[in-house]
Amino acid sequence: MKKFAGLLTFIIMACTGSLKAQDVQVIDKVAAVVGGNIILQSDIEMQYAQYLSEGNRADPDVKCMILEQLLTNKLLTQQAAIDSIEVSEDEVDDNINNRLRYMTRQAGGQEQLEKFLNRSLLQYKEEMRPAVKEQLIAQKMQAKITEKTGITPLEVKRYFEKIPADSLPNYNTEVEVGEIVVFPKLTKEEKQPFYDRAESLRMGIKAGDDFGTMARLYSQDPGSASSGGDLGFFDRSSMVKEFTSVAFRLKPGEISKVFESEFGFHFLQVLERRGEQVRARHILIGLKPSEQSLERAKKQIDSIYTQVKENKMPFSTAAALYSGDEMTKYNGGMMLNAMNQQTRTTYIPVDQLDAADFSAIDTLKAGEYSRPFAFSDPQTKKEGYRFLYLKSRTEPHKASLEQDYAKIKELAEEDKLNRVVSEWFEERRKTTYIRIDDEFNTCAELKSWVRDSEVDNVQANIKE
């Protein structure tokens, strides 16, 4: 509202003649008008700043894409208002907190990010809120537009048959790979020094040490340490059960006892409660395996490997019983294609495999197992042992409906959804006043948004 009020004052001064040449200093301006809504230049600049803060190269053309997305959001949110589609403040908070955590990591810490943004994260968070809320509403509206869009096998077949033979996609070698993972388990005695370290920090804070400072100095959670341990708002499904069990029992300001999760020993302080969400900060002391625990894990993985290789136990059963990887143990030990999670396909292009995994299965034939080897989990950094199972390998080939039906179906679905959404936008653009500032005349992405019959009288089309 402050930005709009300032802009309105500028317009009134200009119209009444009270604006002198020395007063002219463009702080903000209307970049586009969609129906009864305006898009300010500052809206574009804020998203461009976020784009840069994520480590991307400066590219003015990105502003064209940002404006196109904002135009899209405006059309969708106008329809969402008619259809009574809303998002909760909790949903907005979750989205903003996730973005800020990612941006903080990319920038190398909160201080560096605030320096880049030239404002505090609290201030930036409030500035982001309207845009994020609008974006979430737009996403819900788009989902409603396509919710009844399904696809039949016949449509998949017709889609495939329309692809010219010389335009059929080529698929590289793909593999189906399973894994069984064993992490070392520490005894109570082996865990004691890590518990003592966490308890020492907790008692120091209880005695007057600053929680945020101690978290920055000593917490081993890379995602929150630089933010003083602050995790933002989260619900019961966002954290491991041990964490939520403690967090949702405390009152604001209370500090928990030290407790253990799969990540190590924590203690936390609840900062705020809002409905079914809690904002908390924590300090984590991770567990480091002892030589003895690593040796026990190695003996266990060797035993499992022998049983599977000698057909004394099916691979899928061994994975379900013994594997320490939660993502694969309930999927028969099979890895999913991380780049194609929606279809939950187990076919993975070899160029997407981790270098160590590729090396382990490169010389295997379908149905064979690699020898157990030491590894470090890329997410938790936990050390352990694992062995891999090569279930199948497909050679490079041109797409065929028989061999690649799941991939072709996904392409056909995406094509149909895009057509449904495009048709919806085309109809709305015909009946909605849209004006884009001349600065964006060179944006190829925006050509379809402007009609030749439009007039430039912006004020007559902006509703009070």
Side-chain angles (χ1 to χ4, degrees):
M1 285 299 295
K2 288 181 181 178
K3 286 180 185 175
F4 187 77
L7 186 66
L8 189 59
T9 301
F10 183 90
I11 293 172
I12 292 170
M13 289 175 69
C15 292
T16 59
S18 60
L19 182 68
K20 299 179 175 61
Q22 61 266 31
D23 296 323
V24 177
Q25 182 181 3
V26 178
I27 298 173
D28 209 347
K29 67 175 182 178
V30 175
V33 180
V34 183
N37 296 292
I38 62 172
I39 297 170
L40 297 175
Q41 184 70 31
S42 58
D43 297 328
I44 299 170
E45 298 300 335
M46 181 180 293
Q47 292 200 23
Y48 186 62
Q50 180 178 337
Y51 164 85
L52 294 177
S53 75
E54 292 170 356
N56 296 301
R57 287 185 175 183
D59 181 0
D61 290 342
V62 170
K63 294 183 182 181
C64 296
M65 292 184 281
I66 291 173
L67 178 54
E68 183 184 27
Q69 185 60 56
L70 291 172
L71 290 164
T72 298
N73 288 348
K74 290 296 183 188
L75 272 185
L76 287 167
T77 52
Q78 285 177 179
Q79 184 63 43
I82 296 171
D83 293 355
S84 300
I85 292 175
E86 299 178 344
V87 297
S88 69
E89 293 304 314
D90 288 347
E91 289 176 278
V92 178
D93 278 327
D94 281 347
N95 189 282
I96 292 174
N97 290 333
N98 288 335
R99 291 184 190 213
L100 289 180
R101 277 197 287 272
Y102 177 77
M103 290 167 66
T104 299
R105 286 197 299 271
Q106 291 297 105
Q110 180 176 338
E111 185 178 344
Q112 288 87 337
L113 180 58
E114 289 181 334
K115 185 176 180 181
F116 174 83
L117 296 172
N118 197 29
R119 67 201 76 186
S120 70
L121 288 194
L122 185 61
Q123 180 184 359
Y124 187 65
K125 180 177 180 178
E126 290 309 306
E127 290 176 356
M128 286 175 69
R129 181 175 290 276
V132 170
K133 186 172 185 176
E134 181 176 82
Q135 188 175 47
L136 292 176
I137 292 172
Q139 289 171 359
K140 282 193 176 183
M141 186 64 229
Q142 184 161 328
K144 183 179 179 181
I145 294 168
T146 60
E147 65 183 351
K148 295 181 180 178
T149 305
I151 194 161
T152 66
L154 180 59
E155 287 177 306
V156 176
K157 184 173 183 291
R158 286 174 175 168
Y159 172 82
F160 181 76
E161 290 172 346
K162 287 180 180 179
I163 303 175
D166 59 357
S167 298
L168 286 171
N170 291 304
Y171 294 118
N172 294 327
T173 299
E174 293 182 320
V175 290
E176 288 184 290
V177 180
E179 66 173 352
I180 291 179
V181 177
V182 172
F183 292 113
K185 294 181 174 63
L186 278 68
T187 65
K188 184 176 181 180
E189 291 74 20
E190 289 169 337
K191 291 178 180 179
Q192 192 63 42
F194 304 101
Y195 172 89
D196 291 343
R197 179 61 177 146
E199 178 64 11
S200 173
L201 289 169
R202 188 181 81 91
M203 293 305 294
I205 291 169
K206 296 277 281 187
D209 289 341
D210 181 70
F211 196 116
T213 300
M214 293 299 102
R216 290 186 182 92
L217 290 173
Y218 302 114
S219 179
Q220 293 169 348
D221 176 12
S224 69
S226 62
S227 300
D230 195 341
L231 297 163
F233 281 95
F234 55 87
D235 58 27
R236 294 178 188 271
S237 64
S238 302
M239 302 290 182
V240 292
K241 60 183 180 181
E242 297 87 354
F243 201 94
T244 55
S245 176
V246 173
F248 281 84
R249 285 203 310 263
L250 299 180
K251 297 176 182 177
E254 284 189 302
I255 296 177
S256 74
K257 294 181 179 179
V258 173
F259 62 94
E260 185 180 1
S261 78
E262 63 186 272
F263 298 100
F265 288 107
H266 317 244
F267 62 93
L268 64 84
Q269 181 183 38
V270 169
L271 300 174
E272 268 184 270
R273 295 199 65 159
R274 186 164 60 201
E276 285 302 304
Q277 288 202 324
V278 163
R279 180 185 168 208
R281 55 184 177 181
H282 81 136
I283 289 177
L284 167 68
I285 300 299
L287 299 176
K288 292 184 179 179
S290 63
E291 290 297 325
Q292 294 86 345
S293 65
L294 285 167
E295 185 60 32
R296 292 193 297 269
K298 187 176 186 306
K299 287 181 179 178
Q300 185 183 9
I301 197 77
D302 286 341
S303 173
I304 299 168
Y305 170 76
T306 300
Q307 291 183 68
V308 170
K309 190 174 182 183
E310 294 179 357
N311 295 319
K312 295 179 180 178
M313 183 183 296
F315 178 85
S316 58
T317 302
L321 288 175
Y322 303 117
S323 184
D325 186 276
E326 298 295 324
M327 297 292 289
T328 58
K329 71 178 297 177
Y330 300 116
N331 192 41
M334 301 307 297
M335 300 180 190
L336 297 177
N337 186 336
M339 304 297 290
N340 196 358
Q341 295 185 6
Q342 288 183 329
T343 61
R344 293 187 61 79
T345 179
T346 54
Y347 288 93
I348 306 172
V350 291
D351 58 4
Q352 291 180 19
L353 286 176
D354 177 87
D357 290 354
F358 176 79
S359 177
I361 61 101
D362 187 34
T363 58
L364 298 181
K365 295 178 182 177
E368 292 184 340
Y369 307 93
S370 74
R371 292 285 306 173
F373 58 94
F375 89 113
S376 175
D377 185 278
Q379 298 297 323
T380 64
K381 306 301 180 185
K382 290 197 297 186
E383 297 176 52
Y385 292 91
R386 67 203 284 250
F387 68 91
L388 304 183
Y389 163 52
L390 180 62
K391 183 178 180 180
S392 72
R393 187 196 304 266
T394 61
E395 297 305 317
H397 63 282
K398 194 173 282 292
S400 71
L401 199 57
E402 296 74 21
Q403 192 170 356
D404 306 296
Y405 181 83
K407 298 188 188 72
I408 302 301
K409 181 184 177 184
E410 184 182 1
L411 292 173
E413 284 179 324
E414 185 178 356
D415 178 71
K416 187 173 183 179
L417 289 173
N418 287 340
R419 282 188 283 109
V420 169
V421 172
S422 294
E423 288 167 6
W424 186 91
F425 275 109
E426 187 58 34
E427 287 301 313
R428 293 305 182 281
R429 282 197 290 258
K430 288 178 182 177
T431 57
T432 304
Y433 175 83
I434 298 170
R435 182 182 182 278
I436 299 172
D437 188 81
D438 291 344
E439 178 184 338
F440 297 94
N441 281 346
T442 59
C443 294
E445 298 92 336
L446 304 177
K447 298 298 183 186
S448 62
W449 286 84
V450 182
R451 300 189 303 276
D452 293 337
S453 59
E454 287 179 347
V455 294
D456 291 335
N457 188 359
V458 178
Q459 287 81 0
N461 290 275
I462 300 179
K463 296 179 182 177
E464 293 292 337

